[in-house]
Amino acid sequence: MTVNKDVILPGATLGVMGGGQLGRMFVHAAQAMGYRTAVLDADPSSPAGLVSHAHIQTAYLDAAGLAELAKVSAAITTEFENVPAQALDKLAETRPVAPAGSAVAICQDRAREKAHFVGCGVDCAPHALIETPAQLAAVSDDLLPGILKTARLGYDGKGQIRVKTRAELIAAWDELQRVGCVLEKMLPLAYEVSVLVARGRDGQVVHFPLQQNLHRDGILAVTTVPAPNVTEAVSQQAYASAHKIAASMDYVGVLCIEFFVLADGRIVANEMAPRPHNSGHHTIDACDVSQFELQVRAMTGLPLVEPVLHSPCLMLNLLGDLWFPHGAMTQQEPDWAAVLALSGTHLHLYGKTEARQGRKMGHLTVTGATPEAAKAVALRAAAILGIAPF
Ligand code: ATP
Ligand code: MG
């Protein structure tokens, strides 16, 4: 193999926009490979800032902060899709940035994202754009019951209201301050899956085995791999769609596409995230290469390899609710010792000190020799932690 002079080798500093848990796990992967890291996030105790070599504590659009990040970094990525695309474009004037601001901009807007899926020949839920009272009035009855979602800045089910009637739709749009929204038809979901792909600068694309995701209250609760319900036809279609979408944006880095599988077996794209994803956290403990390592490889020009799942697994999200068992008024640490006494449990906490309802505090991956064994242990861990059975 010839050595590519453009490869950014270990020892160099990799920059990341955003200091959340995804940034923290990216930093861990980069450091394990011998890179130095720089995080830009205004929060002095951000999960990634706490573990990075350098932490630039400014807002995403702060000119001095961006200049500093570009100065110290050989290449830059983002861990958060709501980093303004113009910040990434600014960084790209002097440094390689992966994914590019243009790809992130598509993912930041549900309407653009859906149009992009359709342009790639990938089905999505029937929907309508609502930016004006006239568009609201013109909505077809076919889209009800539906979910009104803000076009921008939604995550973990925030900025979404379920509506059954036209009157509820009107009230919901008022409640969302009449910002640009997408009304999506409520679909009969059989189950949900996601696919993580990584695409290199040379156009090579690899993917992780599909994961099956259970959401509760709009937040990911449990990821299971291999996906127990998936058929060969569904997984092949999901992989093919994900490859097509990544290539269409000339994407570089890790990209996650979420899909709904409908009761009649059809598969539709829900949304995509231009970064490693919560549904890929199991890859740290259950695959021979993690989604975070593939992000490092893609952005530095190192080779990508087709990831292999070496252990069946389940990933349980650890939300802040678990710190308040049985309606406790004060925060209590869950019984980690009891959980870690179970074999195959891998605890990841993100260094957040304040637990809040719905806040992602960490995750627990359970690996096992068989899917059944992993599930049995995951259910025991869930019972200890106060997570409802699945
Ligand atoms: P994320 O944290 O994944 O970014 P989000 O806030 O962007 O979440 P969505 O992925 O749009 O939210 O929706 C969250 C969940 O709500 C979905 O995973 C699914 O369970 C449910 N949901 C969303 N849209 C629909 C739909 N059209 N029909 C049925 N269920 C839906
Ligand atoms: Mg989602």
Side-chain angles (χ1 to χ4, degrees):
M1 202 171 129
T2 54
V3 177
N4 181 344
K5 286 200 301 297
D6 296 334
V7 171
I8 296 163
L9 290 169
T13 298
L14 303 182
V16 55
M17 290 292 281
Q21 60 267 17
L22 295 161
R24 180 180 174 99
M25 290 180 269
F26 168 81
V27 162
H28 285 153
Q31 291 179 347
M33 295 171 75
Y35 290 96
R36 297 177 62 81
T37 59
V39 166
L40 187 148
D41 190 302
D43 177 0
S45 55
S46 73
L50 290 176
V51 298
S52 181
H53 292 95
H55 180 189
I56 300 162
Q57 295 175 23
T58 68
Y60 296 131
L61 284 170
D62 184 274
L66 291 174
E68 176 69 12
L69 186 67
K71 192 176 99 195
V72 301
S73 307
I76 296 159
T77 187
T78 179
E79 63 107 42
F80 178 53
E81 75 251 43
N82 290 324
V83 164
Q86 63 269 40
L88 300 176
D89 292 342
K90 179 76 201 158
L91 293 166
E93 289 172 8
T94 54
R95 291 287 182 251
V97 173
S102 55
V104 174
I106 296 171
C107 305
Q108 284 174 343
D109 185 317
R110 282 187 197 279
R112 283 191 69 185
E113 183 174 72
K114 285 184 165 34
H116 196 84
F117 289 150
V118 172
C120 290
V122 175
D123 288 342
C124 53
H127 63 277
L129 187 59
I130 298 179
E131 287 175 323
T132 64
Q135 284 171 320
L136 181 73
V139 157
S140 152
D141 285 335
D142 284 356
L143 294 179
L144 295 171
I147 308 187
L148 187 66
K149 303 181 178 182
T150 58
R152 303 180 70 86
L153 300 173
Y155 70 99
D156 288 349
K158 294 186 176 66
Q160 302 198 359
I161 300 178
R162 294 178 179 218
V163 293
K164 287 198 212 66
T165 62
R166 208 162 267 281
E168 282 180 15
L169 172 63
I170 293 166
W173 196 46
D174 281 340
E175 197 179 323
L176 294 174
Q177 316 285 325
R178 298 185 169 220
V179 295
C181 282
V182 170
L183 174 68
E184 254 178 65
K185 185 179 175 69
M186 182 69 90
L187 298 175
L189 310 189
Y191 58 96
E192 297 184 59
V193 296
S194 57
V195 174
L196 283 157
V197 297
R199 186 169 181 276
R201 290 191 212 143
D202 59 357
Q204 185 198 1
V205 187
V206 298
H207 62 256
F208 287 93
L210 190 103
Q211 43 284 334
Q212 186 164 326
N213 304 317
L214 170 69
H215 291 82
R216 288 177 171 158
D217 300 326
I219 307 179
L220 181 63
V222 183
T223 292
T224 307
V225 199
N229 295 102
V230 85
T231 59
E232 187 58 22
V234 163
S235 55
Q236 288 313 323
Q237 202 183 328
Y239 294 140
S241 299
H243 281 240
K244 214 183 312 172
I245 291 163
S248 70
M249 297 190 286
D250 199 16
Y251 194 85
V252 178
V254 172
L255 173 74
C256 181
I257 321 249
E258 296 179 31
F259 296 92
F260 298 145
V261 184
L262 307 186
D264 63 8
R266 274 188 310 133
I267 158 169
V268 301
N270 171 27
E271 58 171 357
M272 58 182 168
R275 49 169 174 76
H277 190 258
N278 193 171
S279 64
H281 289 354
H282 67 283
T283 62
I284 298 173
D285 298 302
C287 293
D288 62 351
V289 58
S290 77
Q291 61 170 347
F292 302 102
E293 179 174 342
L294 283 186
Q295 183 79 321
V296 172
R297 289 177 180 231
M299 74 187 285
T300 56
L302 284 170
L304 302 180
V305 285
E306 203 68 59
V308 175
L309 181 82
H310 56 67
S311 304
C313 67
L314 288 89
M315 188 279 318
L316 311 183
N317 257 345
L318 305 174
L319 301 182
D321 313 52
L322 307 182
W323 274 249
F324 300 93
H326 315 296
M329 298 302 284
T330 54
Q331 188 171 323
Q332 301 172 20
E333 202 64 17
D335 190 352
W336 304 128
V339 169
L340 292 172
L342 303 171
S343 69
T345 55
H346 310 268
L347 178 63
H348 297 260
L349 292 172
Y350 307 145
K352 300 178 184 179
T353 48
E354 193 197 338
R356 286 193 299 269
Q357 271 224 325
R359 188 177 198 202
K360 290 174 179 168
M361 302 295 287
H363 70 271
L364 183 80
T365 300
V366 181
T367 53
T370 62
E372 296 72 28
K375 183 160 184 184
V377 173
L379 284 168
R380 287 175 64 193
I384 293 166
L385 293 168
I387 298 172
F390 32 85

